[in-house]
Amino acid sequence: MKKIVKFVFALSLVALVLAACSAPTGTDPGNSVNEDEANRQEETTGDRTGKTETNRTEKNESNRVKENESNRTEKDKSNGESTSLEKNATKAAVKRGVTLYFSDDQLMEMYGEKRQIEAKTEDDLPKAALTAWLRGPEHEQLTSILPSDVTVLDVAIEGETATVNLSKAIQNANLGSGGEQFVLDQVALIMLQFGASHTQLLIDGQIEQTLAGHMTISEPYKAPDPAQFKIVE
């Protein structure tokens, strides 16, 4: 009888031990896997978000750099254009007062007329003065004796001699000896104001014997004394 009781008791102990071993420990392996997967997804999402933010920041920075470069280029271009315009304006603002000479409307006397001329450079002033002379006087009692189609081709001054090249149309002018004398005096007096005491006239780039059939122009012509001519107001 005692043996049976001991045997039953032993079986009970074995059953309790087995039950204790098979009971849950409180940690679900499935839950652990799910938590690991969730953590991994969160890390991946965080990495992607970080990269996206980094890329967005880099892109914005690149855009700002490009915009700054563009603004700087436009500003430099604007400054360059302004500087160029200022230089051109300065070149076009070379001015000088001169006395131009014309005969009276009776072709008896010659008078001086004060004028203001301008040119791009100092070297262009002598030609500008002669061009203004060809356009005629402003005073109503003075006149120009040259045809309107006569032009100044070029002017060069070397030392005390000016070389004035007039167009061939001047040879078609019916001036007479007195008229040709006026032309020589007027041109020479204008060139005298630019340091040339003598003036060599050319017709279409060539040295001719006479201006228009009367006055000799094959040699440089000496300017008369400007003090002998009155200035009109």
Side-chain angles (χ1 to χ4, degrees):
M1 185 63 180
K2 289 182 180 180
K3 291 182 180 181
I4 294 173
V5 173
K6 289 181 179 180
F7 180 74
V8 171
F9 180 74
L11 287 177
S12 297
L13 288 176
V14 171
L16 289 174
V17 172
L18 291 176
C21 292
S22 61
T25 61
T27 301
D28 189 349
N31 290 339
S32 298
V33 173
N34 292 336
E35 289 178 0
D36 292 340
E37 186 65 28
N39 291 335
R40 191 178 299 109
Q41 289 179 356
E42 288 179 0
E43 292 176 358
T44 302
T45 302
D47 291 342
R48 284 199 298 268
T49 302
K51 290 180 179 180
T52 301
E53 289 298 327
T54 300
N55 292 338
R56 187 179 297 113
T57 301
E58 292 177 352
K59 185 175 182 181
N60 291 337
E61 183 65 25
S62 176
N63 290 338
R64 281 197 297 271
V65 171
K66 290 180 180 179
E67 184 176 354
N68 290 337
E69 288 295 330
S70 178
N71 292 337
R72 190 178 299 110
T73 300
E74 290 296 328
K75 185 177 180 180
D76 292 343
K77 182 179 179 181
S78 177
N79 289 339
E81 291 174 352
S82 298
T83 302
S84 179
L85 289 175
E86 289 173 1
K87 288 181 179 179
N88 290 336
T90 301
K91 289 181 179 180
V94 179
K95 297 181 180 181
R96 176 173 172 171
V98 296
T99 301
L100 305 182
Y101 292 86
F102 304 94
S103 66
D104 61 14
D105 54 8
Q106 300 298 317
L107 303 183
M108 298 296 293
E109 300 289 340
M110 197 167 72
Y111 297 88
E113 182 182 79
K114 297 289 186 181
R115 298 282 281 277
Q116 188 78 7
I117 61 170
E118 67 176 46
K120 291 183 178 180
T121 67
E122 290 282 348
D123 293 339
D124 293 328
L125 285 172
K127 184 177 180 180
L130 288 176
T131 300
W133 166 71
L134 284 175
R135 293 193 186 106
E138 295 178 347
H139 197 282
E140 60 182 8
Q141 293 182 352
L142 301 181
T143 187
S144 175
I145 61 178
L146 290 177
S148 59
D149 57 348
V150 177
T151 60
V152 181
L153 301 180
D154 51 73
V155 177
I157 298 178
E158 185 174 351
E160 294 185 355
T161 300
T163 301
V164 176
N165 188 14
L166 300 176
S167 65
K168 200 173 183 65
I170 195 172
Q171 293 184 317
N172 299 325
N174 186 16
L175 301 174
S177 58
E180 290 185 23
Q181 181 71 59
F182 276 152
V183 171
L184 290 176
D185 285 344
Q186 291 169 15
V187 173
L189 284 167
I190 293 171
M191 292 297 97
L192 181 62
Q193 298 171 71
F194 295 96
S197 60
H198 291 71
T199 297
Q200 173 67 63
L201 282 182
L202 303 179
I203 307 298
D204 199 26
Q206 302 296 319
I207 294 179
E208 301 288 347
Q209 289 300 312
T210 64
L211 181 62
H214 297 88
M215 297 300 297
T216 300
I217 60 170
S218 58
E219 299 290 337
Y221 182 80
K222 181 177 174 56
D225 182 4
Q228 62 182 301
F229 304 102
K230 294 180 180 180
I231 305 297
V232 297
E233 300 296 336

